[in-house]
Amino acid sequence: MARHRHSSPSRIPRYLAIGTVAALTAAIGFTHAESGPQAGGNPVRTAAAVTELPSPSATASSQADAQADRQAELAANVETAVRESAAGAGGNAAVAVLDLSTGARASAGTADADDHEFDTASIVKVAILAALLLQVADDGRALTAQERWQATVMIENSDNTAADALWNAIGGAKGLAKANTRLGLTETVPGDGPYWGLTQTTPDDQLRLLQAVFGEDSALPADARSYLQGLMGSIAADQDWGVSAAADDPESARLKNGWLARSGTGLWVTNSIGRVEVAGHTLLLAVLCDGQPSQETGTALVEGLAVAATRPFADGSGTGE
């Protein structure tokens, strides 16, 4: 297999410390009459002073508020970075990021991308293989040699003939929809008939797919996840672009890209999804763009957005680091 290369740019226990004034004063050795100033002018700590300390529940609430503030700050920073990176670009662009190291997440896009659904192009091949692996597990069997070969060239080389065969093997749109439900996808509509590349989706749903592939709480068995991850880590050199641009070591990235020129407009869809390591953080990242004048323009936009969206996670802004 080709090596992956790239040349582009938290409940705190509730300790209930409630007692009577008498119990507290007895515990510290003072009577009510002794609770005034001592000789020498040093005040005596009273029971009232003890009971006015912040309660553990208040501390927990404060920590939760701080965490929410950090998440809001992170989301704002990602949105600003994405909008700046996409400034001047045509079409629609949107990004979703999840930090597996901290659980923090953010999504953002251009103004026109709000509630916009993107054609998947070839990134849907990850979902097609996930659907096949679910069916194989349900049947209690292993992939056949032919299925294994088709899966390999479909992911590593983005081979469309192999994708056609596996699309039919899973039952087409119906099979993909069933798998998507099991994997937690709620915003993806499979393409009609043979048009798997016209499946429509959102960055947030692609993040759910990536969680099913790279997370442990998944309908996919562990061996199936490992298999898919391995293929996504062996992408052919000529397709090695996209989210890997944000990785500290692009060769460590696991990804799948998609690109498609729409026949009606001649404008391009350029998408990239995967897992990258950035400044000690393991990030799942989905970048979707459409309406691009060329594949090269779309590729550059995807890579710029990948870098912009991950930078706030890398520098700790909004993550409490």
Side-chain angles (χ1 to χ4, degrees):
M1 297 182 186
R3 286 291 298 165
H4 196 88
R5 302 188 295 275
H6 196 280
S7 57
S8 304
S10 320
R11 186 176 295 269
I12 294 176
R14 295 174 58 89
Y15 297 114
L16 191 60
I18 301 176
T20 63
V21 171
L24 285 168
T25 53
I28 58 177
F30 295 114
T31 65
H32 179 72
E34 293 171 326
S35 60
Q38 289 179 320
N42 293 323
V44 175
R45 179 177 297 176
T46 65
V50 175
T51 57
E52 288 173 359
L53 291 174
S55 69
S57 60
T59 301
S61 177
S62 177
Q63 291 181 345
D65 289 344
Q67 183 178 2
D69 289 343
R70 289 194 296 270
Q71 174 64 48
E73 180 187 357
L74 175 65
N77 289 338
V78 170
E79 181 174 5
T80 297
V82 166
R83 298 265 173 130
E84 290 178 350
S85 181
N92 304 281
V95 181
V97 192
L98 170 65
D99 188 343
L100 291 179
S101 309
T102 66
R105 68 172 62 219
S107 58
T110 58
D112 291 340
D114 292 345
D115 300 320
H116 181 70
E117 292 183 340
F118 295 82
D119 292 327
T120 58
S122 286
I123 61 171
V124 74
K125 292 170 181 175
V126 174
I128 292 174
L129 181 51
L132 177 64
L133 293 171
L134 283 174
Q135 293 181 4
V136 165
D138 290 344
D139 293 341
R141 66 175 181 88
L143 289 171
T144 67
Q146 183 177 29
E147 288 171 336
R148 188 171 291 273
W149 178 82
Q150 290 168 334
T152 298
V153 298
M154 180 179 71
I155 300 298
E156 295 184 359
N157 304 99
S158 205
D159 186 271
N160 290 337
T161 301
D164 290 339
L166 295 183
W167 174 255
N168 292 329
I170 67 170
K174 185 177 180 179
L176 184 64
K178 183 177 179 180
N180 285 346
T181 298
R182 294 176 64 180
L183 296 172
L185 280 66
T186 60
E187 301 170 349
T188 298
V189 180
D192 291 331
Y195 300 112
W196 45 261
L198 297 185
T199 295
Q200 293 193 310
T201 194
T202 65
D204 285 334
D205 235 19
Q206 290 304 296
L207 211 58
R208 296 181 185 104
L209 175 61
L210 291 171
Q211 285 180 268
V213 174
F214 293 98
E216 295 184 357
D217 184 13
S218 173
L220 283 168
D223 58 346
R225 298 197 305 270
S226 179
Y227 177 65
L228 223 170
Q229 291 170 25
L231 295 179
M232 293 175 71
S234 301
I235 301 299
D238 63 337
Q239 298 173 24
D240 186 8
W241 51 269
V243 296
S244 54
D248 293 338
D249 176 12
E251 291 192 1
S252 72
R254 304 288 184 266
L255 74 152
K256 182 69 189 81
N257 298 323
W259 59 99
L260 172 70
R262 296 307 312 267
S263 57
T265 64
L267 298 177
W268 283 77
V269 173
T270 50
N271 302 324
S272 185
I273 62 173
R275 187 194 74 186
V276 294
E277 301 290 335
V278 182
H281 295 260
T282 301
L283 305 180
L284 301 181
L285 176 61
V287 185
L288 309 183
C289 302
D290 63 17
Q292 303 307 305
S294 68
Q295 183 181 357
E296 293 75 16
T297 300
T299 298
L301 179 58
V302 166
E303 294 191 337
L305 289 171
V307 174
T310 56
R311 188 178 299 118
F313 292 84
D315 65 22
S317 55
T319 64
E321 294 182 348

